Amino acid sequence: MPDPMSQTPHLADVLRSRLSGDDLDHLRRLFSARDGAAQNGDLWESGAANGSMPASDPRISGPRTSESEYGAILSRVLPNLMQERRRFANQRDDAGALLTELLGHPQERRIVLIRNSQRFISWPLCEALLESSLDACFRDHKEAVELCTLAVEIALHLADTGIRSPLVHDLQARSYSYLGNALRVSSDLDAADQAFERASELLEQGTGDLLELARHLSMKAVNCASRRRFDESFSHYRRATRIYRQCGEMHLYGRTLMQLAIHLGAAGETDQGIELLRKSLTLIDVDREPRLAYAAVQNLIFLLNEAGEYQEAYEHLQRNRAVLASQDDPVSLLRLRWLEGLVMRGTGEEEEAELALVEARQAFETQGLVYEFAMVTMDLSMLYIAQGRTTEIKQLAQELVPVTQSKQLRDQGIAALILFQKAAELEKISLDLVRQTISSLRQLRQDR
């Protein structure tokens, strides 16, 4: 869980709360002139992937603002800025104790406390809950939704504390975006769509913060990809990457390229996904977000293996094995073991591949990870088909019965698995059928 002491509105956010609309336009033009002009030539910004597109977001284009104008704006704002900063510092000092107190109650009681106690209407507490939700997405989807729900409650009540409305709308939009993300990983995609739509509406009433917009777009892009709306997803990704690059946020730019690469792979654009993953690894700050770097490496190895570049995938796996194995997330370690099995199957090390896939499959079953269990079963089936092991394939098909009765997979995935079971029973299984089953299951994948 992130340190709530570090969660406080950025200085720029507080500054915006004291600026007029004209001031904001001047500052955007100044920052655009400073950061935007030199940032050209990116694969997605240049339109190489999908037609031409503007070199910059139109809202930050315009004539240059002189340094003297910039100074004049700040001279009007700074007398009030320190008072605002002290106010947030006081809230930050209380956030740790408030977070502990709030999470010590059941969810229903937490909502009641927020609605009836002004102590919990705290900006740093809201941000701490949002950051905690990102971590919860990897281990407990229900908790992730609950944390975001609390953050939304706080953000909606912040307007009563005297903070200027556009700034509050930014935080409300962020809270709904995070809620949409948590609902997505919980497979409640209809509710996720609604949360992202509400976030978009609130951003229209906000300060116009481009980085806030980019954060929203990158999360919305993942949600669209989860629904196989790839054209819409890639459009959101292009806008987000363009903003991050123009604003000099290269780590966030790399993060978004990584997410885009994963979904390009899911859409069948494997080569382009590999290219963007390579680029993302040159931009991601490992110290800032180690888990992200691990994910980029794992996905690069996976896509190389998918593209038939088995030796290169193997070399990347060997080179990064120690780093990948250093993660403290048990599920990530299981996925690494799964990946090892796939790579060794590709390089022809069939005994080692079988051992890795069997171990991963058993562990996923123990963990109750139905999707992963089904996917590894399909990968193991491909190995057994190549070896002519009909009896083992029938056994795998029989062991999928509980999966087809699970509520964790949608109808499309269940239908594909039942077809696989029937074909195995009739000894009419084939590599093409298994590949089609894997493709159907991947369409249901909820990227974490």
Side-chain angles (χ1 to χ4, degrees):
M1 182 177 298
D3 180 6
M5 297 289 287
S6 65
Q7 305 300 321
T8 188
H10 192 277
L11 176 64
D13 289 335
V14 180
L15 184 59
R16 288 187 189 95
S17 72
R18 295 292 182 176
L19 295 175
S20 68
D22 289 342
D23 291 336
L24 285 173
D25 289 339
H26 282 311
L27 288 178
R28 286 195 196 104
R29 286 194 285 268
L30 176 65
F31 294 144
S32 176
R34 183 192 65 190
D35 294 327
Q39 308 290 351
N40 295 314
D42 178 73
L43 173 66
W44 284 84
E45 288 179 41
S46 65
N50 191 20
S52 61
M53 62 190 71
S56 62
D57 193 297
R59 289 176 300 161
I60 59 172
S61 62
R64 289 178 179 268
T65 303
S66 70
E67 294 292 338
S68 61
E69 290 178 278
Y70 183 37
I73 294 169
L74 293 182
S75 67
R76 295 201 311 273
V77 173
L78 286 176
N80 296 318
L81 181 58
M82 293 309 297
Q83 179 181 353
E84 199 75 9
R85 290 286 286 175
R86 283 192 295 271
R87 174 186 180 185
F88 285 126
N90 292 336
Q91 291 183 348
R92 181 189 62 199
D93 291 342
D94 296 335
L98 286 173
L99 184 63
T100 300
E101 180 182 348
L102 186 64
L103 298 185
H105 296 279
Q107 181 70 359
E108 295 79 7
R109 176 62 178 163
R110 296 169 185 171
I111 298 292
V112 171
L113 287 171
I114 291 171
R115 291 177 177 175
N116 293 279
S117 177
Q118 190 67 26
R119 294 188 304 118
F120 294 100
I121 310 305
S122 159
W123 188 304
L125 176 59
C126 181
E127 289 196 325
L129 287 165
L130 292 177
E131 291 303 311
S132 297
S133 76
L134 293 179
D135 181 64
C137 283
F138 289 91
R139 51 181 173 76
D140 189 330
H141 304 162
K142 180 182 177 183
E143 181 185 352
V145 173
E146 290 179 347
L147 293 171
C148 289
T149 301
L150 298 175
V152 167
E153 282 288 336
I154 293 172
L156 291 176
H157 285 83
L158 271 170
D160 301 330
T161 66
I163 304 175
R164 281 187 58 177
S165 183
L167 193 61
V168 174
H169 286 148
D170 282 353
L171 186 62
Q172 290 171 348
R174 190 190 316 171
S175 299
Y176 273 104
S177 291
Y178 277 61
L179 177 59
N181 184 64
L183 289 165
R184 173 188 63 80
V185 299
S186 300
S187 298
D188 193 347
L189 299 184
D190 289 339
D193 278 347
Q194 294 173 14
F196 281 112
E197 182 62 30
R198 182 58 181 145
S200 297
E201 293 170 356
L202 287 163
L203 279 176
E204 291 296 322
Q205 304 171 52
T207 63
D209 186 334
L210 289 168
L211 292 179
E212 201 72 61
L213 173 62
R215 174 170 21 209
H216 165 71
L217 289 171
S218 61
M219 286 186 169
K220 191 174 182 179
V222 179
N223 185 62
C224 291
S226 295
R227 308 210 71 160
R228 312 296 291 179
R229 302 198 305 255
F230 286 118
D231 287 346
E232 185 179 351
S233 174
F234 296 157
S235 175
H236 294 325
Y237 273 129
R238 285 194 296 273
R239 292 182 67 196
T241 55
R242 192 160 60 239
I243 291 169
Y244 283 138
R245 187 173 172 90
Q246 288 175 239
C247 293
E249 290 285 352
M250 305 312 287
H251 170 76
L252 298 177
Y253 175 46
R255 175 214 280 247
T256 310
L257 283 183
M258 186 204 78
Q259 294 171 320
L260 169 59
I262 293 170
H263 291 118
L264 282 167
E269 301 291 340
T270 306
D271 291 343
Q272 197 163 44
I274 290 170
E275 182 180 352
L276 290 188
L277 277 171
R278 293 187 196 279
K279 181 166 186 177
S280 73
L281 283 167
T282 68
L283 298 167
I284 291 170
D285 184 340
V286 179
D287 294 331
R288 179 173 170 181
E289 206 168 356
R291 191 197 296 270
L292 190 65
Y294 301 150
V297 171
Q298 282 189 325
N299 280 285
L300 177 59
I301 294 169
F302 176 78
L303 286 186
L304 285 169
N305 199 66
E306 286 285 289
E309 302 292 341
Y310 303 125
Q311 188 58 39
E312 186 176 358
Y314 176 80
E315 290 171 359
H316 274 285
L317 179 61
Q318 293 300 102
R319 189 180 308 124
N320 295 285
R321 187 186 297 274
V323 175
L324 292 170
S326 68
Q327 299 176 81
D328 58 3
D329 175 14
V331 176
S332 293
L333 293 175
L334 290 180
R335 290 192 176 118
L336 173 59
R337 189 63 174 144
W338 178 12
L339 183 61
E340 289 173 338
L342 293 177
V343 171
M344 287 185 285
R345 188 185 68 188
T347 56
E349 301 173 71
E350 293 185 351
E351 290 185 8
E352 293 85 350
E354 181 179 359
L355 178 62
L357 292 174
V358 167
E359 288 180 0
R361 181 174 177 271
Q362 291 174 344
F364 284 135
E365 182 179 26
T366 301
Q367 294 282 337
L369 298 170
V370 171
Y371 171 82
E372 287 80 359
F373 174 78
M375 285 294 292
V376 180
T377 298
M378 292 300 103
D379 290 325
L380 194 56
S381 297
M382 291 187 70
L383 183 62
Y384 288 165
I385 289 171
Q387 296 172 341
R389 296 165 64 177
T390 305
T391 301
E392 286 89 341
I393 294 171
K394 287 184 175 181
Q395 181 62 34
L396 290 179
Q398 182 62 32
E399 292 170 358
L400 282 171
V401 170
V403 176
T404 60
Q405 298 171 345
S406 169
K407 295 181 179 180
Q408 295 185 43
L409 287 182
R410 296 197 295 278
D411 291 346
Q412 178 184 348
I414 291 173
L417 291 176
I418 290 175
L419 179 61
F420 169 82
Q421 288 177 308
K422 192 63 177 178
E425 178 185 334
L426 298 174
E427 297 188 8
K428 294 185 179 297
I429 204 76
S430 67
L431 284 175
D432 282 344
L433 177 61
V434 176
R435 290 191 184 103
Q436 290 170 11
T437 306
I438 290 174
S439 177
S440 295
L441 290 173
R442 282 182 183 163
Q443 290 183 23
L444 309 179
R445 180 182 179 185
Q446 305 303 307
D447 295 305
R448 304 296 186 246

